Amino acid sequence: MEIEYLLRIFISSVFVNNVILSRFLGLCSFIAISKEIKPAVAMSFAVLFVITMSSLITWGIFRFLLAPFHIEYLRTISFILVIATFVQLVEMVIRKFAPALYRFFGIYLPLITVNCAVLGVAVLNSEMFFQNGKPISGSFVYSLFQGICVGLGYLVAMVLMSSIRHRLELADVPKAFQGPAIGFIIAAILSMAFLGFSGFRI
Amino acid sequence: MEIIISILSLSLLGITFGVTLAFFARIFHVKVDERLEKIHSLLPGANCGACGAAGCFGFAEKIVSGETLIDNCRVASDDTKEAIAKILGRSLKKTDKLVARLHCCGGKNAKDKFVYHGINDCSIAHLVLGGFKQCPVGCLGLGSCLKVCPFGALSMSSDNLPVVDIIKCKACNKCVETCPRKLFSLKPLAKTVWVACCLHYSGKDTRAVCQTGCIACKLCQKSCPTAAINIIDNLAVIDYTKCTSCGACVKICPSKCILQTKQNNSKSQENIQ
């Protein structure tokens, strides 16, 4: 485990391979919940939490169940199972102990269940930090850290997008482009801007 | 062999997660009042906030706990309210129905101060040199109220003034809060007369900026059989506790700035002056 490698993971998943703007995962929530800054940030923190926890759990599943029995091809289905269960569990706990928070998250929490960014990170972890079914040294910390960083990347993209769309509210957008149409155009321009990072050698 | 392993491990995962979820569902079980869901499904679901609660679910919670009256929902029909009262086993206390009234009839008759080419929003236009109308309180006609109305009750007339559809209007207070010039107010629906001007200039000064402003001529005050309308500070003011909606002031007003609607007929609202 090296600090340098952790820094590489950070730069890579926040900027160079940003989960939304470079990998194009989790676009549904990116377009739907980026109209205002506050819900966008709330959604991002919910995603950050779920991605971090699910990369932790899926590492365990892959390490102790899938890899030893050589059934890596069941990766997708078992990861989805883990994520769905985990989100349900979190929802229950929040509903019991923090009803205000539950009302605040509202529809976002169940939405995360089917957010492909979460599954994407879990799959990526199992590809990057395992070699021939054997974990590389420090793979657990790397997985956890990558989960956090991808969540941060999601936060960066959401804040950028929602701030731009917030300003667009007052702009004179042509009628044909109003609503999600201009949102997609902005997403494309942002994504092209993030392509500028792809020249980085890390 | 391989297929057995995969089936076993996957079903093991499934069973483990299923049992865990069922177990935690019991531990973290939250008791939900059955009536709450029923009432929430009956409420309009517009989440307009006119009742003062945070959305329809908050309102449902409040009426179940008895913090507020069922009739505080301005949107739900009387039948719905009866149904909710039945669920709760309470009797329904009724209050007066309100409707939004626009206190301006200037529109194209009010003179412009300068030509405005800015962002198409009233509150922003209002900030630029106090608005582009010579009248400091007149309607700017950019339609910010139309955008916020959750019920589609407002439309622009040919005079460039918002017109309230009294059937669609649920008195949610959104337009009252949004208008930067505070031109809307909620008035009882049963009283069909209202003064469509809020400029406190003297007669001469009013005429200089608007052809249809109140010039404080006191004709309405003299014509009113119940002394419900008075000129206060150069503007006609109706006392709704005395007004009988007879329409005498509407007929006599030389500026045509006292308006009247026929009850339950939204279309005839515009020019019955």
Side-chain angles (χ1 to χ4, degrees):
Chain A
M1 193 176 77
E2 303 153 46
I3 297 297
E4 192 195 331
Y5 195 64
L6 288 179
L7 194 67
R8 259 197 245 168
I9 292 174
F10 176 77
I11 302 272
S12 160
S13 41
V14 175
F15 297 110
V16 183
N17 295 318
N18 186 294
V19 65
I20 293 173
L21 296 170
S22 299
R23 287 195 198 277
F24 307 114
L25 295 174
L27 285 177
C28 157
S29 54
F30 179 61
I31 296 292
I33 315 172
S34 61
K35 272 189 191 143
E36 280 167 62
I37 297 172
K38 221 180 137 190
V41 172
M43 174 72 179
S44 305
F45 276 106
V47 168
L48 178 70
F49 177 67
V50 171
I51 288 188
T52 310
M53 293 310 286
S54 66
S55 53
L56 196 146
I57 301 168
T58 50
W59 183 87
I61 296 281
F62 196 81
R63 168 75 180 78
F64 296 111
L65 189 73
L66 301 187
F69 291 108
H70 302 290
I71 43 173
E72 283 95 343
Y73 53 87
L74 289 177
R75 193 169 59 177
T76 312
I77 190 164
S78 45
F79 284 1
I80 281 285
L81 207 60
V82 172
I83 294 163
T85 315
F86 176 68
V87 174
Q88 285 295 313
L89 203 65
V90 169
E91 203 181 330
M92 272 181 220
V93 174
I94 289 180
R95 196 172 180 191
K96 175 83 179 177
F97 295 109
L101 195 68
Y102 176 73
R103 198 95 37 81
F104 181 70
F105 277 146
I107 186 77
Y108 305 146
L109 216 51
L111 261 185
I112 297 169
T113 317
V114 286
N115 192 331
C116 54
V118 182
L119 178 69
V121 174
V123 170
L124 203 67
N125 282 342
S126 66
E127 262 168 19
M128 276 175 75
F129 307 127
F130 285 87
Q131 273 171 351
N132 303 325
K134 291 263 182 327
I136 61 172
S137 77
S139 77
F140 178 70
V141 179
Y142 291 154
S143 299
L144 192 62
F145 192 67
Q146 173 143 292
I148 297 170
C149 291
V150 168
L152 285 178
Y154 188 92
L155 178 74
V156 167
M158 284 297 264
V159 168
L160 278 176
M161 182 71 169
S162 57
S163 313
I164 293 172
R165 285 185 83 174
H166 200 74
R167 292 201 62 161
L168 267 185
E169 287 278 298
L170 293 173
D172 202 5
V173 180
K175 206 172 179 185
F177 288 119
Q178 275 168 14
I182 193 79
F184 279 113
I185 293 171
I186 293 161
I189 296 171
L190 268 179
S191 169
M192 278 194 275
F194 266 69
L195 271 184
F197 289 117
S198 62
F200 277 29
R201 282 184 63 203
I202 47 167
Chain B
M1 194 57 206
E2 210 174 328
I3 192 165
I4 294 168
I5 289 180
S6 52
I7 288 171
L8 273 182
S9 54
L10 210 55
S11 39
L12 189 77
L13 267 185
I15 290 166
T16 321
F17 289 144
V19 169
T20 322
L21 267 188
F23 180 68
F24 279 100
R26 183 151 292 185
I27 290 182
F28 296 123
H29 180 68
V30 183
K31 255 196 180 171
V32 182
D33 197 331
E34 272 180 22
R35 298 176 300 174
L36 207 61
E37 272 305 311
K38 269 190 200 161
I39 291 168
H40 186 223
S41 63
L42 279 173
L43 286 171
N47 294 323
C48 66
C51 51
C56 287
F57 195 78
F59 183 66
E61 278 181 340
K62 272 192 173 178
I63 45 180
V64 167
S65 64
E67 274 173 64
T68 183
L69 294 172
I70 301 165
D71 209 48
N72 280 353
C73 179
R74 303 235 176 91
V75 184
S77 68
D78 284 347
D79 295 343
T80 314
K81 286 176 188 170
E82 292 280 354
I84 294 172
K86 221 176 188 181
I87 293 174
L88 290 171
R90 283 184 217 154
S91 60
L92 186 63
K93 283 180 202 157
K94 280 195 181 170
T95 50
D96 279 348
K97 272 230 176 324
L98 299 175
V99 73
R101 302 284 197 205
L102 179 72
H103 295 289
C104 177
C105 59
K108 284 178 181 163
N109 294 318
K111 287 174 193 160
D112 283 351
K113 206 190 307 182
F114 54 88
V115 179
Y116 175 74
H117 280 298
I119 292 164
N120 213 13
D121 186 274
C122 292
S123 48
I124 292 168
H126 177 62
L127 291 174
V128 181
L129 301 172
F132 54 85
K133 293 274 183 200
Q134 285 193 8
C135 174
V137 289
C139 174
L140 296 169
L142 297 178
S144 288
C145 46
L146 267 69
K147 284 179 210 155
V148 293
C149 182
F151 306 103
L154 292 165
S155 58
M156 271 294 168
S157 72
S158 51
D159 266 347
N160 211 21
L161 282 169
V163 180
V164 181
D165 185 328
I166 56 171
I167 293 170
K168 285 185 188 164
C169 177
K170 306 291 180 195
C172 70
N173 219 33
K174 282 259 156 83
C175 51
V176 180
E177 284 163 10
T178 304
C179 182
R181 307 197 143 193
K182 303 285 165 233
L183 288 172
F184 282 103
S185 70
L186 299 180
K187 292 277 165 9
L189 181 63
K191 310 286 182 182
T192 55
V193 180
W194 79 101
V195 179
C197 182
C198 55
L199 184 62
H200 291 283
Y201 281 8
S202 70
K204 195 183 155 213
D205 292 343
T206 303
R207 268 286 173 273
V209 296
C210 180
Q211 288 303 307
T212 55
C214 175
I215 53 172
C217 64
K218 299 202 175 177
L219 280 177
C220 48
Q221 193 174 338
K222 285 167 198 158
S223 75
C224 184
T226 53
I229 189 160
N230 289 298
I231 302 292
I232 301 167
D233 197 12
N234 288 325
L235 183 69
V237 178
I238 297 174
D239 182 351
Y240 282 108
T241 54
K242 291 180 190 166
C243 178
T244 55
S245 307
C246 69
C249 50
V250 180
K251 277 171 212 132
I252 208 158
C253 180
S255 299
K256 312 272 181 236
C257 69
I258 305 177
L259 304 181
Q260 186 173 22
T261 54
K262 274 185 195 167
Q263 233 177 334
N264 301 327
N265 188 351
S266 60
K267 278 192 178 166
S268 60
Q269 178 173 10
E270 267 177 76
N271 291 313
I272 310 161
Q273 295 164 340

